[in-house]
């Protein structure tokens, strides 16, 4: 029973240590990841897409978790298997590599000499002691300081460069595990939320995933929101001016902080990102000047959002929509504009746009009343993404480690030189590099050629 | 002198370089090969000047930004990075003939940009107003370019391998006799990927940092992000496959070509077919 058990554990261990499993898992992750890029993912699934699917397909997709596939049990399982595989592979191979790094073979015995492809026999003049000092000095100057070992009447020199780069692969593997840990920390102790704040008001609660309300423990006030456009009508800047309030009082250092896209505000580990904006749709007031085409003094009109206003001659008007900059809709125009609807008794309602920057324009419309738009005190809301992620630093640490590990693994090579000096003046030099052996061969030949002239 | 004129010159010079490289293949004349590389480098210098000039032009227009912000600018930059990586590999490993299989990628990019894409200089929308744009785009495209070079080398590998197996060991060997030995091509394929993989990793990391700065989440499984991970997986598989026997040579070359196809889909396919954060200019 015990042996059987051991056999099972051993084969399980061997299974997870295998590089074939690693390649299979990596390819499986790559292939399955495609699914979620083709099928829309929650919560952004368009209604039409759902309707376009047949019942069987819909049920199948739902069962397989394809609509939130990166959080589906089987994808997570793949990631776990990948992690276990990664750790097992590293644990199996690390001790041997560690030994190569920390306990290099300091002497060039015959077995080692045969295993190396770069060896050279030199005939040098001088005694054992002078050759030892000469070659040690030479290696220190040209390569790196050697370790000197005397054994059986022979002197061995061992010099190496970048031994630690052999650990690069394991640094990369470790960094992946650290990034996963950071992601788990973030998902356990952090949250992503959203909040909508109207100008002049404050909010202390944000909406998290699954419509859960999260209390921030402090409040954020939107002092002002502004939006700017380029001449082409493309958006240039969305800016919220925020103040952090603790117990209703502004926190010093967090008053009137402008935040724009790519420049968020962080307070107590919670970060607010500019995300969207819009008219608050409440309390907005629009100002117009109305002139009768037949003459008479112009009248100032104040129209509140959603309210019908009386005009001369039994007519009424209301504002149907408005914008702070019309350029995004009509590129050749600029500035604020409002679409108004005028109802005349016994006639079809008349809907048209008036522009603040072009007050004369409405004359050309030919209506009995000539409108000009004087602007609004319409309030905006700002939509802010709210994120708390205590794991993000762990993730950045992992990423940095990954880059360092990759540089160690790919761009550095562990180079070793052994020299054996016999008492008869025979000197054997051998070398090896963990990477790019052909390039090292050139350097080795150059080095031994110089040695020969010593 | 405008940047668009210089870009036209670049396109023509790359075309000349490609034709000369093909002549090099046909004639096996080393002098002709030298002219092919020189033409590629000359085109690259003109292109560098054009990119800098376009940068300056955007400042003259009052919307100054690095010319890396839309599809046109990215395709031009991609083409520039391909020649850069090719140059590095050529100077380092001295296999000029690779140019015949790499310069066409750069030419294709330039021709498409000049003929098919909107070359207007546009101001930066708020999401792109960040220094991360520079770090992210430069690292990603250098990575993509290294994969393009690896793909060109892999195509050479497959041609050479087929030609060797059909010709037996006849010494003449047709126009492909000047290809490096398949062992060398296999090695160069790995070397190019060893340049590309760290750069792609940096590209993904800088992209994640930028996303975290702009949206508060470093990873949201957006199609672009996911595809960059898929590409990363393919090349990670490639690098690990090298350690096991049997995944060198032909299979490695095929995996490299698959990897570049995934790279191109990540770069263009995602923008054209899938929706997400990277749909340029939308």
């Amino acid at each position: 029973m015990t042996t059987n058990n051991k056999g099972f554990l051993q084969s399980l261990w061997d299974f997870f240590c295998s590089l074939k499993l690693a390649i299979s898992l990596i390819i499986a992750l790559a292939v399955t990841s495609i699914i979620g890029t083709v099928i829309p993912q929650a919560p952004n699934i368009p209604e039409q897409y759902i309707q376009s699917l047949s019942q069987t397909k819909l049920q199948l997709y739902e069962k397989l978790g394809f609509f939130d596939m990166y959080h589906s049990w089987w994808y997570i399982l793949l990631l776990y298997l990948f992690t276990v595989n990664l750790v097992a592979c590293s644990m199996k191979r690390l001790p041997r590599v560690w030994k190569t790094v920390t306990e290099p073979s300091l002497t060039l015995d015959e077995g080692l000499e045969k295993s190396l492809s770069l060896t050279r026999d030199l005939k040098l003049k001088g005694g054992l002691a002078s050759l030892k000092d000469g070659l040690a000095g030479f290696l220190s100057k040209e390569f790196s300081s050697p370790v000197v070992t005397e054994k059986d009447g022979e002197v061995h020199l061992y010099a190496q460069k970048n031994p630690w780069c052999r650990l690069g692969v394991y640094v990369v593997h470790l960094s992946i595990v650290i990034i996963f840990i950071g992601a788990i920390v973030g998902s356990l102790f952090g949250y992503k939320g959203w909040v909508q704040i109207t100008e002049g008001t404050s909010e202390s609660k944000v909406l998290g995933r699954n419509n859960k309300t999260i209390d921030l423990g402090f409040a954020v006030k939107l002092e002002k929101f502004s939006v700017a456009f380029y001449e082409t009508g493309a958006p240039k800047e969305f800016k919220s001016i925020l103040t952090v309030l603790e117990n209703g009082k502004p926190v010093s250092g967090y008053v009137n902080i402008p935040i724009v896209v790519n420049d968020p505000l962080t307070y107590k580990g919670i970060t607010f990102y500019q995300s969207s904006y819009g008219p608050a749709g409440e309390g907005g007031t629009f100002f117009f000047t109305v002139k009768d085409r037949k003459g008479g003094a112009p009248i100032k009109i104040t129209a509140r959002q959603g309210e019908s206003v009386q005009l001369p001659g039994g007519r009424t008007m209301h504002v149907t929509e408005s914008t702070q900059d019309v350029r995004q809709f009509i590129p050749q125009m600029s500035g604020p504009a409002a679409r108004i609807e005028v109802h005349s008794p016994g006639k079809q309602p008349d809907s048209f746009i008036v522009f603040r920057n072009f007050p004369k324009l409405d004359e050309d419309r030919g209506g009995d009343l000539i409108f000009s738009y004087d602007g609004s005190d319409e309030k905006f809301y700002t939509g802010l993404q709210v994120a708390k992620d205590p794991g993000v630093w762990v993730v950045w640490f992992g990423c940095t480690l990954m880059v360092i590990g990759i540089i160690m693994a790919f761009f550095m090579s562990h180079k070793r030189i052994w020299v054996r000096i016999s008492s008869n003046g025979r000197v054997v030099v051998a070398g090896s590099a963990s990477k790019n052996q052909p390039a090292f061969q050139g350097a080795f030949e150059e080095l031994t050629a110089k040695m020969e002239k010593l | 002198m405008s940047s668009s004129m210089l870009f036209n010159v670049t396109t023509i010079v790359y075309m000349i370089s490609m034709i000369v490289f093909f002549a090099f293949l046909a004639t096996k004349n080393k002098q002709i090969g030298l002219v092919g590389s020189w033409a590629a480098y000359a085109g690259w210098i003109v292109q560098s000047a054009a990119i800098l000039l376009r940068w300056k032009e955007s400042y003259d227009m009052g919307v100054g930004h690095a010319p890396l912000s839309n599809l046109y600018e990215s395709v031009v930059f991609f083409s520039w990075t391909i020649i850069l990586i090719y140059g590095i590999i050529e100077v380092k490993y001295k296999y000029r003939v690779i140019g015949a299989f790499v310069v066409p990628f750069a030419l294709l990019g330039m021709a498409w940009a000049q003929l098919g894409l909107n070359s207007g200089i546009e101001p930066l929308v708020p999401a792109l107003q960040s220094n991360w744009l520079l770090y992210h785009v430069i690292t990603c495209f250098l990575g993509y370019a290294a994969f393009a070079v690896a793909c060109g080398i892999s195509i050479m590998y497959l041609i050479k391998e087929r030609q060797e197996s059909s010709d037996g060991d006849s010494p003449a060997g047709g126009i492909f006799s000047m290809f490096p030995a398949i062992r060398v091509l296999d090695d160069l394929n790995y070397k190019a990927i060893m340049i590309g993989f760290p750069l792609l990793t940096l590209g993904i990391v800088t992209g994640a940092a930028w996303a975290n700065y702009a949206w508060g989440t470093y990873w949201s499984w957006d199609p672009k992000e996911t595809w960059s991970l898929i590409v990363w997986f393919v090349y990670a598989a490639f690098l690990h496959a090298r350690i096991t026997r049997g995944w060198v040579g032909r299979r490695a070359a095929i995996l490299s070509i698959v990897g570049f196809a995934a790279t191109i889909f990540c770069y263009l396919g995602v923008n054209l077919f899938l929706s997400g954060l990277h749909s340029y200019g939308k």
Side-chain angles (χ1 to χ4, degrees):
Chain A
M1 195 67 203
T2 351
T3 50
N4 213 346
N5 214 353
K6 210 173 183 178
F8 172 72
L9 284 178
Q10 185 61 45
S11 50
L12 190 71
W13 173 249
D14 288 343
F15 172 73
F16 276 113
C17 285
S18 99
L19 201 65
K20 274 204 177 117
L21 177 70
I23 294 169
S24 311
L25 282 173
I26 291 171
I27 290 176
L29 279 167
V31 172
T32 53
S33 294
I34 298 172
I35 299 168
T37 67
V38 180
I39 295 174
Q41 297 289 293
N44 302 315
I45 308 173
E47 197 54 42
Q48 301 131 280
Y49 176 76
I50 295 285
Q51 277 159 8
S52 74
L53 292 175
S54 69
Q55 267 311 309
T56 34
K57 240 185 184 173
L58 188 69
Q59 270 168 5
L60 185 72
Y61 284 10
E62 254 166 13
K63 230 182 208 122
L64 293 170
F66 281 1
F67 295 121
D68 191 11
M69 76 142 269
Y70 304 108
H71 301 100
S72 68
W73 67 269
W74 57 269
Y75 193 80
I76 303 273
L77 180 70
L78 271 180
L79 286 175
Y80 274 119
L81 285 175
F82 176 64
T83 313
V84 172
N85 178 219
L86 190 91
V87 172
C89 276
S90 308
M91 278 171 67
K92 185 182 173 187
R93 288 166 179 81
L94 189 56
R96 221 180 52 218
V97 176
W98 186 257
K99 219 174 156 196
T100 315
V101 172
T102 55
E103 298 167 33
S105 139
L106 296 172
T107 57
L108 183 67
D109 56 34
E110 234 170 84
L112 180 63
E113 190 185 332
K114 278 205 179 112
S115 73
L116 298 167
S117 59
L118 288 179
T119 51
R120 192 110 198 251
D121 244 305
L122 304 176
K123 264 279 179 208
L124 295 182
K125 280 181 222 123
L128 203 56
S130 75
L131 275 175
K132 179 184 88 179
D133 292 342
L135 286 169
F138 172 80
L139 278 176
S140 302
K141 206 175 93 212
E142 299 284 332
F143 189 70
S144 82
S145 311
V147 180
V148 183
T149 317
E150 286 183 36
K151 197 179 157 194
D152 305 333
E154 289 177 321
V155 174
H156 298 264
L157 305 181
Y158 171 73
Q160 61 177 356
K161 268 181 174 173
N162 303 330
W164 299 102
C165 76
R166 285 186 186 265
L167 300 175
V169 179
Y170 307 100
V171 172
V172 175
H173 287 179
L174 177 69
S175 76
I176 293 173
V177 176
I178 289 174
I179 290 169
F180 284 167
I181 291 171
I184 291 168
V185 167
S187 72
L188 289 180
F189 305 108
Y191 57 77
K192 301 267 182 292
W194 195 77
V195 65
Q196 182 173 323
I197 314 174
T198 303
E199 276 180 301
T201 70
S202 65
E203 294 287 343
S204 62
K205 292 184 172 67
V206 301
L207 201 62
R209 265 188 158 214
N210 311 322
N211 289 335
K212 245 180 30 204
T213 309
I214 300 158
D215 198 338
L216 294 172
F218 57 89
V220 179
K221 184 179 176 195
L222 176 62
E223 305 284 358
K224 193 166 167 40
F225 179 84
S226 63
V227 52
F229 296 89
Y230 292 108
E231 280 176 24
T232 58
K236 183 179 188 178
E237 186 184 73
F238 312 125
K239 183 159 77 185
S240 299
I241 311 280
L242 300 178
T243 295
V244 177
L245 307 173
E246 286 270 17
N247 305 315
K249 290 197 187 76
V251 178
S252 83
Y254 290 91
V255 178
N256 290 331
I257 308 295
I259 77 153
V260 296
V261 181
N262 278 313
D263 193 5
L265 165 73
T266 302
Y267 180 69
K268 283 191 170 170
I270 299 169
T271 310
F272 299 85
Y273 302 85
Q274 182 65 58
S275 155
S276 61
Y277 75 100
E282 45 164 84
T285 310
F286 304 92
F287 305 102
F288 298 92
T289 306
V290 182
K291 214 164 62 182
D292 199 314
R293 193 174 284 279
K294 288 168 200 140
I299 318 163
K300 295 270 181 195
I301 301 272
T302 302
R304 289 172 61 83
Q305 181 91 38
E307 211 179 61
S308 222
V309 188
Q310 293 292 327
L311 292 173
R315 283 173 277 224
T316 61
M317 65 160 277
H318 67 270
V319 178
T320 53
E321 56 181 335
S322 65
T323 175
Q324 287 300 302
D325 199 316
V326 73
R327 210 146 26 189
Q328 46 187 323
F329 310 108
I330 310 171
Q332 58 273 34
M333 311 289 266
S334 69
R339 179 184 286 279
I340 58 177
E341 206 170 278
V342 176
H343 293 255
S344 310
K347 279 190 188 168
Q348 286 285 331
D350 203 2
S351 173
F352 51 89
I353 302 167
V354 283
F355 304 90
R356 195 189 67 185
N357 292 3
F358 307 95
K360 294 268 178 288
L361 213 62
D362 202 50
E363 272 190 64
D364 304 338
R365 191 172 49 86
D368 293 341
L369 296 177
I370 299 160
F371 290 82
S372 58
Y373 181 38
D374 302 328
S376 70
D377 72 347
E378 188 190 23
K379 285 201 167 91
F380 276 91
Y381 75 79
T382 187
L384 304 176
Q385 297 274 5
V386 184
K388 182 183 165 182
D389 189 348
V392 76
W393 294 109
V394 181
V395 172
W396 295 148
F397 173 67
C399 289
T400 311
L401 210 57
M402 181 183 278
V403 172
I404 293 170
I406 285 180
I407 290 169
M408 282 165 71
F410 285 178
F411 300 126
M412 290 167 77
S413 167
H414 180 201
K415 295 169 187 161
R416 294 177 290 177
I417 302 259
W418 289 268
V419 181
R420 185 177 66 224
I421 312 164
S422 307
S423 48
N424 59 4
R426 181 174 173 241
V427 173
V428 178
V429 191
S432 103
S434 63
K435 263 184 298 288
N436 204 3
Q437 186 83 1
F440 180 67
Q441 189 172 352
F444 179 79
E445 273 157 16
E446 216 171 278
L447 207 69
T448 46
K450 274 191 191 167
M451 278 183 179
E452 223 160 18
K453 287 178 201 138
L454 276 179
Chain B
M1 181 78 71
S2 70
S3 63
S4 87
M5 268 168 62
L6 287 181
F7 282 129
N8 281 328
V9 172
T10 307
T11 313
I12 292 164
V13 176
Y14 284 166
M15 186 180 291
I16 292 168
S17 164
M18 183 180 80
I19 292 167
V20 172
F21 269 125
F22 287 168
F24 172 46
L25 279 183
T27 60
K28 299 177 212 170
N29 181 326
K30 280 193 175 160
Q31 295 300 318
I32 294 178
L34 200 63
V35 174
S37 320
W38 281 355
Y41 298 151
W44 186 82
I45 288 166
V46 174
Q47 193 178 11
S48 310
I51 289 171
L52 290 174
L53 188 58
R54 187 178 166 94
W55 202 332
K56 184 186 169 293
E57 282 168 357
S58 79
Y59 274 91
D60 294 343
M61 285 173 62
V63 294
H65 60 80
L68 304 170
S69 72
N70 59 19
L71 190 54
Y72 172 85
E73 289 173 346
S74 75
V75 171
V76 167
F77 184 66
F78 187 25
S79 152
W80 183 85
T81 53
I82 288 173
I83 300 295
L84 176 66
I85 299 280
Y86 157 67
I88 291 170
I89 290 195
E90 203 228 85
V91 167
K92 201 156 173 212
Y93 301 109
K94 316 262 183 268
Y95 289 105
R96 175 153 291 135
V97 65
I98 295 165
F101 286 81
V102 173
V103 172
F105 285 123
L107 172 66
L108 205 68
M110 282 312 290
W112 183 41
Q114 291 301 87
L115 301 173
L117 295 175
N118 176 13
S119 67
I121 294 176
E122 287 140 30
L124 287 182
V125 297
L128 295 183
Q129 291 164 16
S130 169
N131 281 336
W132 287 107
L133 173 71
L134 211 62
Y135 314 141
H136 176 56
V137 174
I138 288 175
T139 47
C140 280
F141 279 94
L142 283 171
Y144 291 180
F147 297 148
V149 172
C151 176
I153 292 169
S154 294
I155 293 170
M156 292 174 79
Y157 180 95
L158 294 179
I159 294 172
K160 177 87 174 177
E161 192 204 34
R162 167 178 290 189
Q163 176 256 333
E164 272 187 1
S165 60
S166 64
D167 277 18
D169 38 15
S170 79
I175 64 167
F176 302 115
S177 63
M178 57 199 324
F179 280 20
I182 55 169
R183 184 184 48 77
V184 173
L185 287 170
D186 182 52
D187 193 47
L188 285 177
N189 186 20
Y190 283 113
K191 295 227 160 86
I193 287 168
M194 275 164 75
I195 296 172
F197 191 72
L199 287 162
L200 176 72
T201 308
L202 265 179
I204 294 174
V205 171
T206 51
W210 186 6
N212 192 61
Y213 217 59
W215 297 294
T217 167
Y218 52 83
W219 194 263
S220 57
W221 295 105
D222 163 83
K224 191 75 156 195
E225 291 172 354
T226 311
W227 269 96
S228 71
L229 185 67
I230 291 167
V231 172
W232 194 86
F233 277 141
V234 173
Y235 287 107
F238 178 97
L239 292 167
H240 285 86
R242 187 181 196 186
I243 308 170
T244 66
R245 287 177 191 181
W247 279 81
V248 287
R250 190 181 157 74
R251 286 164 97 177
I254 290 169
L255 201 54
S256 171
I257 293 169
V258 168
F260 186 59
T263 306
I264 287 296
F265 189 81
C266 178
Y267 171 32
L268 298 172
V270 172
N271 293 21
L272 301 174
F273 303 118
L274 308 172
S275 62
L277 298 170
H278 279 74
S279 26
Y280 288 107
K282 271 187 202 156

